[in-house]
Amino acid sequence: QSVLTQPPSASGTPGQRVTISCSGSSSNIGNNVVNWYQQFPGTAPRLLIHNDNQRPSGVPDRFSGSESGTSASLAISGLQSEDEADYYCAAWDDSLNGAVFGGGTQLTVL
Amino acid sequence: QVQLQESGPGLVKPSETLSLTCNVSGGSISSRSYYWGWIRQPPGKGLEWIGSIYYSGTTYSNPSLKSRLIISVDTSKNLFSLKLSSVTAADTAVYYCARQRSYTGYDFDYWGQGTLVAVSS
């Protein structure tokens, strides 16, 4: 069971806006920044969002992150077929003194 | 461009020790801005942080693995290593090494391609 809670699946049609939630606690999301990773089958995860809402170079601005209290969200606007992947949230946890991940959300583009 | 490459046996027997090395190229492992981490992913499951190490040797470990885990760094060879003892089938996973930025919320910005380690007799 993951420390951070994500819905196991999400879906949308091309062009739609989709959001993926990530719920934590005061020891992780409530006191530290949230990072998001995108993973395609058979490949390593890729950093998608860091510091709650910052995009690394090369990440389209269709991807955005937000955080409020002990929860965070990843939003994907103008959904495209190539966005079909697994998405993971992560944060530092002060109680565990380590990094924690969400269980991952499998995004399907219908 | 930083590159990380995992190496080690793809098959380990139960109760034995899993040993992996991560070679870092394109950047110095002695940089004060980064930790160097290990993350694993059992087949069909999510990501699990194993532990991280600083160039000085300071380590942080997942409490659930700490008693079986040794992470070390060799700055002269620009690599870091993982040893996980007393392995069981539950340790079967793809193991990734990654660079962890200490100044941006400890995110992992560069990853190795991953190596599958199966625990089986």
Side-chain angles (χ1 to χ4, degrees):
Chain A
Q1 199 158 358
S2 303
V3 173
L4 304 181
T5 301
Q6 297 180 238
S9 63
S11 64
T13 55
Q16 206 173 19
R17 183 176 187 269
V18 171
T19 61
I20 297 172
S21 63
C22 176
S23 178
S25 68
S26 58
S27 65
N28 42 66
I29 295 177
N31 201 39
N32 296 293
V33 299
V34 177
N35 307 305
W36 291 90
Y37 300 88
Q38 178 188 56
Q39 186 182 34
F40 297 105
T43 69
R46 164 202 185 194
L47 181 63
L48 194 66
I49 296 287
H50 65 89
N51 276 27
D52 293 336
N53 55 21
Q54 302 299 303
R55 288 185 306 277
S57 174
V59 174
D61 59 8
R62 302 186 294 103
F63 294 89
S64 62
S66 63
E67 178 266 342
S68 178
T70 58
S71 295
S73 292
L74 173 70
I76 309 172
S77 60
L79 195 64
Q80 299 181 4
S81 58
E82 56 259 40
D83 298 332
E84 192 163 281
D86 294 328
Y87 294 85
Y88 294 89
C89 60
W92 188 261
D93 190 293
D94 295 328
S95 296
L96 298 175
N97 207 23
V100 290
F101 286 93
T105 298
Q106 184 175 50
L107 175 64
T108 301
V109 181
L110 303 170
Chain B
Q1 176 91 351
V2 174
Q3 292 186 312
L4 298 96
Q5 179 67 58
E6 306 90 350
S7 61
L11 181 64
V12 181
K13 289 182 168 55
S15 81
E16 296 190 344
T17 296
L18 181 161
S19 297
L20 294 174
T21 295
C22 181
N23 282 276
V24 179
S25 59
S28 173
I29 204 169
S30 298
S31 171
R32 296 186 178 186
S33 299
Y34 308 112
Y35 282 76
W36 304 90
W38 290 98
I39 302 101
R40 70 180 182 179
Q41 184 172 35
K45 296 188 177 181
L47 302 169
E48 179 184 33
W49 173 72
I50 299 171
S52 300
I53 190 164
Y54 197 51
Y55 78 96
S56 62
T58 298
T59 57
Y60 294 95
S61 302
N62 188 320
S64 68
L65 300 170
K66 191 170 185 175
S67 63
R68 301 191 289 131
L69 184 65
I70 296 175
I71 298 176
S72 59
V73 63
D74 188 332
T75 55
S76 67
K77 296 181 180 178
N78 224 41
L79 59 81
F80 60 109
S81 302
L82 164 76
K83 289 186 187 300
L84 185 65
S85 62
S86 305
V87 297
T88 69
D91 295 309
T92 293
V94 174
Y95 285 76
Y96 296 100
C97 60
R99 189 178 80 171
Q100 187 176 26
R101 300 191 293 186
S102 60
Y103 56 93
T104 57
Y106 298 98
D107 60 68
F108 298 99
D109 64 339
Y110 284 95
W111 295 65
Q113 64 185 27
T115 186
L116 175 63
V117 180
V119 177
S120 175
S121 55

